[in-house]
Amino acid sequence: MDPDAFAAVHQSQWDRLDVLGRQRRLSGSEADELLRLYQSTSAHLSLLRSVAPEGALSALLSTRLARARTRFTGARSNFMEDVARFFVLSLPAAFYRIRWLTLAVGGAFAVIAVLYGLWALNNPDVLRALGSDARLQRLVDRDFVDYYSQNPAASFSGQVWTNNAWIAVQSVALGITGAFVPYQIYQNALNVGLTGGVMFAYGRGGVFFSYILPHGLMELTAIFVAGAAGLRIFWSWISPGPRPRATALAQEARSLITVAIGLVFVFLASGLVEGFVTPSALPVWAKIGIGAAVLAGYWGYTLYFGGRAYRAGERGDLDSQDTGDQITAA
């Protein structure tokens, strides 16, 4: 087959496909014509590839077909529109959906941490098991405070940010196991509780809260949010309701992986507070006030934008055409 002769015969059809593919609006007859031309051009491309798979004409037809295909599958929206939709609708709606579970996870964390703190504070055997008196004294006098200032603030913030973001991704992605989130929450509560118990036992409880609260208010809340998302995915697998189990799991996973992405930005804010505010020379009330303001900003964003988006039907999932549930025709 002569590609030049083949192109000469069908060029008018391909040009018409281009014209219809670029039109902003199509009538019913034009949409039908576009579909017919798309099908016939696809057949032409298959024939050409059987003869000259790497030819210039094959590449040209592939480009034309790709352009026309967007009229059936739906052209991608503007990137900035996608970003705006994510931060105004999808992300706050996902946060809003798990607000009560977030508070429940936070409550469980607080109970475990307080119990371990009281256990360490009121049981000398526990303190001895944690280390020698000299080692614990060094912890409360120097190591606990130095941890926040031993590295440059920017470097420390980046390290904390990436570590916490990785924890959040793990919590959401591995939440389906049903075991990872409870284990992680328990371990974090144990560590915080025992550290607080040691600090109070040596009369440094005020130092403990002055260094934990500025960044910890938001950082711990973000960990609770990630845990809540992971547990919600797990529960969709256990109790899918009227939906097929696979469908329920897919919908929840798509919706709540949004949380992991959003928490990257939340942990950035808490990491900046931990790196620049927590070890600073600001008065304690100012440092805690900054941390509380960041936390208030999160809950305000979640309750206002999330509540509004949720009531409008937003759940944080992808659009139906992006999930493959629906194909939009021109």
Side-chain angles (χ1 to χ4, degrees):
M1 182 182 68
D2 183 352
D4 292 334
F6 187 80
V9 171
H10 298 289
Q11 187 65 52
S12 60
Q13 293 175 273
W14 301 340
D15 290 343
R16 179 60 175 166
L17 177 69
D18 266 351
V19 170
L20 293 175
R22 289 191 173 96
Q23 273 187 216
R24 292 180 59 85
R25 296 181 181 277
L26 296 174
S27 65
S29 60
E30 287 174 332
D32 291 339
E33 183 184 4
L34 175 63
L35 180 57
R36 289 195 300 269
L37 289 171
Y38 179 85
Q39 292 171 333
S40 62
T41 305
S42 296
H44 297 161
L45 178 60
S46 297
L47 181 59
L48 281 170
R49 282 178 170 170
S50 68
V51 177
E54 302 300 329
L57 186 55
S58 295
L60 179 61
L61 284 186
S62 294
T63 301
R64 291 185 171 189
L65 285 169
R67 186 183 304 119
R69 191 180 302 121
T70 62
R71 300 310 305 270
F72 299 105
T73 60
R76 293 299 305 159
S77 57
N78 180 273
F79 172 73
M80 295 308 297
E81 292 177 356
D82 289 340
V83 171
R85 185 183 190 281
F86 177 80
F87 285 106
V88 176
L89 296 175
S90 300
L91 180 59
F95 284 158
Y96 186 84
R97 288 181 61 209
I98 56 175
R99 63 196 186 283
W100 294 117
L101 189 52
T102 297
L103 294 175
V105 171
F109 178 96
V111 169
I112 295 170
V114 169
L115 289 177
Y116 270 107
L118 292 174
W119 185 44
L121 176 62
N122 297 300
N123 194 331
D125 291 336
V126 175
L127 294 178
R128 284 193 292 269
L130 293 174
S132 65
D133 182 69
R135 179 183 176 185
L136 295 181
Q137 192 70 56
R138 185 173 64 252
L139 169 68
V140 300
D141 289 342
R142 186 174 66 252
D143 292 350
F144 180 79
V145 173
D146 288 350
Y147 168 76
Y148 297 99
S149 57
Q150 60 187 351
N151 293 311
S155 174
F156 182 62
S157 294
Q159 179 183 350
V160 169
W161 177 31
T162 54
N163 179 68
N164 287 334
W166 173 237
I167 291 175
V169 171
Q170 286 180 300
S171 294
V172 177
L174 300 178
I176 190 174
T177 64
F180 182 83
V181 170
Y183 173 77
Q184 185 185 70
I185 293 298
Y186 174 80
Q187 286 295 319
N188 276 281
L190 182 152
N191 291 332
V192 171
L194 289 180
T195 301
V198 171
M199 295 292 288
F200 271 89
Y202 282 80
R204 304 299 297 274
V207 173
F208 173 76
F209 281 121
S210 69
Y211 276 82
I212 286 290
L213 290 180
H215 65 276
L217 289 171
M218 187 67 260
E219 182 178 272
L220 290 175
T221 298
I223 290 175
F224 305 154
V225 172
L231 290 176
R232 183 67 177 262
I233 293 173
F234 168 71
W235 190 248
S236 72
W237 177 55
I238 298 298
S239 180
R243 299 171 294 178
R245 197 178 305 274
T247 300
L249 180 59
Q251 288 176 344
E252 293 295 338
R254 285 196 307 263
S255 299
L256 295 174
I257 200 65
T258 301
V259 170
I261 299 172
L263 286 179
V264 171
F265 300 97
V266 176
F267 278 124
L268 173 60
S270 66
L272 291 173
V273 174
E274 187 168 359
F276 290 92
V277 177
T278 297
S280 72
L282 289 172
V284 172
W285 64 265
K287 293 194 289 186
I288 295 177
I290 292 173
V294 173
L295 180 63
Y298 166 80
W299 280 112
Y301 170 75
T302 297
L303 296 177
Y304 178 73
F305 288 101
R308 188 171 64 174
Y310 186 85
R311 288 187 291 273
E314 180 66 43
R315 296 296 182 268
D317 198 358
L318 298 175
D319 289 335
S320 56
Q321 61 263 33
D322 290 329
T323 65
D325 295 338
Q326 173 183 322
I327 296 177
T328 303

